Amino acid sequence: MKTALLFGSTGLVGGHVLNQLIQNDNYSKIKIFIRSSIELNDPKIEIIQTDFKNLENHIEDIKGDDCFFCIGTTKKNSPDKNEYKRVELELPKQVAQIAKSNLVNSFIFVSSGYADPKSSGDYLKFKGLTEEDLIRLNFPKIGIMRPSFLLGDRQEKRVGEKIGIFIFKLLSPLFLGPLKKMKPIHSETVAKAMIKIANENLEKTIFESDEIVELTSS
């Protein structure tokens, strides 16, 4: 029976990861790392109220078998450039470094379609740089998820994203061949793939959006 470490349990993908881990018999404990305390009454769950600006205080907490990292932000929620960089780039790298030093077996990370360390935009650049660092850490198992537009019920409203999803849904029948990875994908599907990667021996490390769908349908 394994222990899961979950960062971002209140987000779109992370919420589904949490629900699926609760139902998964491979896990006897789920440590969720959150800023403020919440009420969750499942016996599997251990809530760790986390100071994300001082993660060195949580080195003993970040111990387990599989780490699922689903934290992300937006320029709207983190308008300060330094804070945006901290959440999108420095935070996942620091969590991964601690997990690696504690011999955590797998690190499963929600990146983005078209992540690229050389991108001119901060979002795709930070995702790409994080991917490179995760691969360098050489965990026994790495899963890098590159979803397209995520479908699901967000707590926050993102008008631009809603418009993009609507347009991409209309165009989806035209996305063939290499363009298949642009089709919108449900957040629940991404969560399912993350848990599958952590529990199976797969050759791949990076999963494009269409490959995530294939993985969960096989």
Side-chain angles (χ1 to χ4, degrees):
M1 298 290 278
K2 298 199 290 182
T3 294
L5 313 174
L6 177 56
F7 291 80
S9 59
T10 59
L12 191 58
V13 174
H16 285 295
V17 172
L18 177 59
N19 290 336
Q20 292 178 30
L21 286 171
I22 289 170
Q23 302 299 322
N24 193 304
D25 291 338
N26 289 335
Y27 297 92
S28 58
K29 181 186 282 191
I30 307 158
K31 295 182 182 179
I32 62 171
F33 296 80
I34 52 176
R35 280 194 299 266
S36 51
S37 185
I38 56 173
E39 285 295 319
L40 287 170
N41 295 318
D42 191 277
K44 278 188 178 185
I45 293 174
E46 178 183 344
I47 297 171
I48 297 168
Q49 206 162 338
T50 308
D51 180 357
F52 286 99
K53 292 186 178 178
N54 293 286
L55 279 175
E56 62 274 7
N57 296 338
H58 299 285
I59 289 173
E60 288 302 307
D61 296 319
I62 304 175
K63 289 182 175 180
D65 298 285
D66 302 323
C67 185
F68 301 93
F69 193 94
C70 312
I71 291 177
T73 188
T74 61
K75 289 283 179 73
K76 181 182 175 182
N77 288 340
S78 302
D80 179 82
K81 273 191 169 184
N82 292 328
E83 177 65 8
Y84 184 76
K85 183 178 180 181
R86 186 188 72 81
V87 175
E88 284 291 334
L89 179 62
E90 293 163 8
L91 184 60
K93 286 166 59 173
Q94 191 178 3
V95 169
Q97 287 163 356
I98 295 171
K100 175 66 176 177
S101 69
N102 283 337
L103 304 179
V104 172
N105 184 64
S106 69
F107 197 93
I108 318 297
F109 172 67
V110 180
S111 182
S112 169
Y114 298 97
D116 180 358
K118 296 184 176 67
S119 175
S120 58
D122 285 345
Y123 179 73
L124 295 180
K125 180 171 76 174
F126 291 159
K127 293 295 189 190
L129 289 169
T130 302
E131 289 182 4
E132 287 187 336
D133 279 322
L134 292 179
I135 291 168
R136 270 197 292 268
L137 282 171
N138 201 29
F139 280 86
K141 191 179 292 183
I142 283 277
I144 292 170
M145 321 303 291
R146 286 184 175 173
S148 180
F149 281 111
L150 286 166
L151 304 175
D153 296 322
R154 286 191 188 276
Q155 291 179 345
E156 58 178 314
K157 292 181 179 178
R158 298 182 181 181
V159 177
E161 189 174 80
K162 279 191 172 182
I163 294 169
I165 289 170
F166 176 73
I167 293 169
F168 271 62
K169 272 185 169 180
L170 287 179
L171 297 175
S172 274
L174 304 176
F175 293 153
L176 304 172
L179 297 179
K180 282 168 65 177
K181 66 181 181 181
M182 295 173 65
K183 290 184 178 183
I185 182 172
H186 203 286
S187 48
E188 189 172 0
T189 302
V190 179
K192 185 178 177 183
M194 293 175 75
I195 295 171
K196 187 168 184 177
I197 291 165
N199 287 280
E200 294 185 9
N201 293 317
L202 303 172
E203 297 292 320
K204 289 178 68 65
T205 295
I206 296 174
F207 296 83
E208 301 291 351
S209 206
D210 56 315
E211 294 169 332
I212 295 171
V213 173
E214 288 172 15
L215 181 64
T216 57
S217 59
S218 60

